[in-house]
Amino acid sequence: MAPGYLSNSKLYRDQMSNDVIGLELGLSSMDYYPFMPMFASAASSWILSCPDETRDQKRTKRTMSIAESIACTDSSQYSDGSCISRSSSVSSLNSLPRLQFRDHIWTYSQRYLAAEAVEEAAAAMINAGGGSEEDGTADGMRLVQLLIACAEAVACRDKSHASALLSELRANALVFGSSFQRVASCFVEGLTDRLAMVQPLGAVGSIIAPTMNIMDIASDKKEEALRLVYEYCPHIQFGHFIANSSILEAFEGKSFVHVVDLGMTLGLPRGHQWRHLIQSLANRAGQPPQRLRITAVGLSVDKFQTIGDQLEVYAKDHGINLEFLVVESNLENLSPKDIKVSENEVLVVNSILQLHCVVKESRGALNSVLQIIHELSPKVLVLVEQDSSHNGPFFLGRFMEALHYYSAIFDSLDAMLPKYDTKRAKMEQFYFAEEIKNIVSCEGPARVERHERVDQWRRRMSRAGFQAAPIKMLAQSQKWLKNNKVSESYTVLEEKGCLVLGWKSKPIIATSCWKC
């Protein structure tokens, strides 16, 4: 990559209208963003100047240079020879009595996201070939600039400008292009859908959100895409491995055991997770359990029952008596009486990529589900979720977080499968693209892909009365990656008792365990 390419970026404009007072982004949002190279132009900055996206906000306007808003570890040299030190950065902050600290952190975070997105786009373009390094860098930066500019125009409800930008984006964001072009094509679809629902300025409400059931039954294409994601990406398999290991520990020496499975991993065919668990229970030291009960919670009753029938046969072949039950309910309407619990059995609750679907603007829905789980008094609750901040109150912040997160995922697919592989295209277009479009285009009840970082989940679980049960399996999980021949670019890190699977240090999936 050509050194100093970021210094020529015009991604940032000359002024900033700070409309984000009260945004709930803490210092934890910066945990995974390493310091990026400083922009050479001290005058370059990024503006997000559009009508306020939320009600009752105070408006604070201030012109900010990059020197005032980004600090580095020691000092940073600009092209004109000037530099900014840590102390001068602190002095700059102290001189801003009207600018709340959390707003400064938000601005700080968004600039890192933008810079990293540009860097990744440029790298993707270069790696894709078809031009010189300088051409690839310029194309990558241009595509990121177009995406961000289009997102700003959509947020500002500027339909004419957004439509013009979308036309240019469609010509450059190719479904079978580089990894970044491919992920950009998914964001273009999301922006197009959001723009179509935007009301004119002055109208009540800015987005007309369609209604959507949070447990919609997937189409055949989505089912196939999910199966391929399970096969080729380690995300779900990693979650299953950590979850089963924790469940086996809870079931150790017990004869009557019960798993309540929320959503059955989106209805993944064959019940892979529970086949592995049955096998492990049959081979454990001592006697296998006398009875294993699995209760599946969700609306896909026929699909779950088919999986359950297959599992009962599989368990019988391994000498285990399996009782499979289905509770037809979405998570929001679940009641404690729906779950049949025996006094002499050990209960665990398993949630793989499910609970984020009941995270709303208010905490009521999620708190209700967590209260029900708490009333069941499980020995352990296993929680596996996407580790990214896609539920912030501001569209542009969510957009930048999602762009950074899914760029890493598409980069991993590029490392595993050829450009024109149909399996790769199916995963991208029928699984990950659906998540992206929901994050970008939907609001209100229709927006169900409300992923949050592990720190936020830690706070939510603590408020609901759960205590963390640290997962001490770092060495085993790293060995699992190696044994399953997962790309070396995938890493596992321990984060305050949780295990986080990442791609090139970018967090993708977080696993955690909780007890009452």
Side-chain angles (χ1 to χ4, degrees):
M1 185 179 299
Y5 71 88
L6 285 175
S7 64
N8 297 320
S9 171
K10 300 300 181 183
L11 177 64
Y12 297 103
R13 303 176 188 173
D14 294 331
Q15 293 182 329
M16 171 170 281
S17 175
N18 193 322
D19 298 332
V20 293
I21 291 178
L23 180 60
E24 293 186 358
L25 281 179
L27 287 170
S28 61
S29 65
M30 295 298 297
D31 287 349
Y32 298 116
Y33 302 128
F35 285 95
M36 297 296 296
M38 297 293 289
F39 289 92
S41 174
S44 63
S45 61
W46 179 32
I47 181 173
L48 299 179
S49 55
C50 61
D52 202 351
E53 292 184 60
T54 59
R55 299 177 182 176
D56 302 325
Q57 278 191 305
K58 294 168 65 179
R59 188 177 302 270
T60 303
K61 294 187 177 181
R62 172 177 166 79
T63 302
M64 301 177 66
S65 69
I66 200 72
E68 291 175 305
S69 60
I70 299 184
C72 65
T73 52
D74 293 309
S75 64
S76 300
Q77 188 76 25
Y78 290 109
S79 58
D80 60 359
S82 63
C83 64
I84 178 170
S85 66
R86 181 188 297 273
S87 60
S88 64
S89 176
V90 173
S91 298
S92 177
L93 277 177
N94 292 336
S95 68
L96 304 178
R98 292 189 302 161
L99 187 61
Q100 292 188 10
F101 182 70
R102 63 177 59 185
D103 304 327
H104 184 80
I105 292 297
W106 182 85
T107 301
Y108 197 58
S109 176
Q110 298 312 306
R111 290 171 188 241
Y112 274 135
L113 289 171
E116 288 184 335
V118 172
E119 183 179 26
E120 290 172 357
M125 293 291 186
I126 294 168
N127 295 335
S132 67
E133 182 173 317
E134 291 185 0
D135 290 341
T137 300
D139 290 343
M141 293 197 315
R142 175 60 179 164
L143 188 54
V144 176
Q145 291 171 7
L146 287 172
L147 280 170
I148 296 173
C150 186
E152 290 177 347
V154 171
C156 295
R157 289 180 271 171
D158 187 347
K159 284 198 168 186
S160 59
H161 185 45
S163 297
L165 290 169
L166 282 171
S167 296
E168 188 173 353
L169 279 166
R170 291 189 190 100
N172 292 279
L174 307 177
V175 174
F176 288 99
S178 68
S179 63
F180 190 79
Q181 286 175 319
R182 297 162 85 108
V183 74
S185 71
C186 301
F187 279 88
V188 169
E189 290 184 40
L191 288 170
T192 300
D193 292 345
R194 187 179 182 92
L195 185 63
M197 294 184 289
V198 165
Q199 292 181 323
L201 283 170
V204 178
S206 60
I207 297 292
I208 307 172
T211 58
M212 176 178 173
N213 192 310
I214 67 168
M215 298 290 282
D216 276 342
I217 298 175
S219 65
D220 292 340
K221 289 182 178 178
K222 290 181 181 178
E223 287 184 4
E224 183 182 5
L226 174 62
R227 179 182 59 80
L228 291 170
V229 168
Y230 178 83
E231 181 180 350
Y232 285 94
C233 300
H235 312 164
I236 298 176
Q237 290 190 50
F238 174 78
H240 284 176
F241 169 71
I242 300 299
N244 280 1
S245 299
S246 301
I247 292 170
L248 284 169
E249 183 178 343
F251 286 169
E252 186 175 357
K254 305 300 180 180
S255 296
F256 299 93
V257 294
H258 186 181
V259 178
V260 175
D261 189 8
L262 307 181
M264 286 287 289
T265 315
L266 311 174
L268 188 68
R270 291 177 53 79
H272 294 289
Q273 179 178 3
W274 307 127
R275 287 175 180 264
H276 292 309
L277 181 67
I278 290 168
Q279 198 173 50
S280 297
L281 287 172
N283 296 330
R284 77 180 185 181
Q287 295 293 323
Q290 294 182 33
R291 186 192 68 203
L292 167 63
R293 181 185 292 174
I294 297 177
T295 299
V297 179
L299 298 180
S300 305
V301 177
D302 292 340
K303 184 190 301 181
F304 290 172
Q305 193 59 59
T306 299
I307 295 172
D309 293 342
Q310 295 171 350
L311 288 176
E312 286 179 348
V313 174
Y314 187 80
K316 186 177 181 180
D317 292 341
H318 285 76
I320 292 179
N321 177 30
L322 170 64
E323 181 182 337
F324 188 87
L325 303 171
V326 179
V327 174
E328 185 177 4
S329 173
N330 60 28
L331 297 184
E332 290 182 273
N333 296 324
L334 186 64
S335 171
K337 65 182 181 181
D338 295 330
I339 310 297
K340 298 178 181 179
V341 181
S342 300
E343 292 183 1
N344 62 341
E345 67 183 9
V346 176
L347 175 70
V348 300
V349 177
N350 184 73
S351 177
I352 309 291
L353 311 181
Q354 292 295 312
L355 284 184
H356 70 264
C357 293
V358 289
V359 176
K360 306 295 181 183
E361 279 82 1
S362 66
R363 296 194 296 265
L366 179 62
N367 285 346
S368 176
V369 175
L370 293 178
Q371 182 180 359
I372 290 170
I373 295 174
H374 200 278
E375 289 179 15
L376 294 173
S377 297
K379 187 168 184 180
V380 67
L381 162 63
V382 182
L383 180 65
V384 178
E385 286 290 344
Q386 294 91 337
D387 190 27
S388 193
S389 182
H390 298 154
N391 192 38
F394 297 95
F395 166 67
L396 287 173
R398 295 198 307 269
F399 183 90
M400 292 304 302
E401 286 275 359
L403 184 61
H404 188 47
Y405 178 81
Y406 287 100
S407 293
I409 290 179
F410 276 58
D411 184 46
S412 71
L413 293 174
D414 188 59
M416 291 185 288
L417 294 168
K419 178 184 292 187
Y420 296 104
D421 192 302
T422 57
K423 296 188 291 293
R424 175 182 172 184
K426 288 177 180 177
M427 286 187 283
E428 291 172 342
Q429 295 300 315
F430 299 126
Y431 184 80
F432 294 115
E434 292 302 309
E435 290 186 351
I436 292 169
K437 287 188 288 185
N438 187 266
I439 294 167
V440 173
S441 66
C442 295
E443 293 294 346
R447 181 157 61 85
V448 297
E449 300 296 345
R450 295 172 177 265
H451 312 144
E452 295 187 328
R453 292 201 181 280
V454 67
D455 280 346
Q456 181 64 19
W457 279 110
R458 190 177 289 112
R459 288 189 288 270
R460 290 187 183 278
M461 300 301 291
S462 177
R463 285 195 295 260
F466 289 89
Q467 295 179 335
I471 304 173
K472 300 177 181 180
M473 292 181 54
L474 181 60
Q476 296 95 313
S477 59
Q478 292 172 336
K479 183 178 179 181
W480 179 87
L481 288 179
K482 185 177 181 180
N483 291 343
N484 286 270
K485 299 180 180 179
V486 177
S487 171
E488 292 182 357
S489 294
Y490 273 104
T491 57
V492 181
L493 298 175
E494 185 176 353
E495 173 66 26
K496 297 179 182 178
C498 305
L499 291 181
V500 180
L501 177 72
W503 172 258
K504 296 180 179 178
S505 77
K506 172 61 182 175
I508 302 296
I509 294 290
T511 61
S512 58
C513 288
W514 305 90
K515 58 185 179 180
C516 296

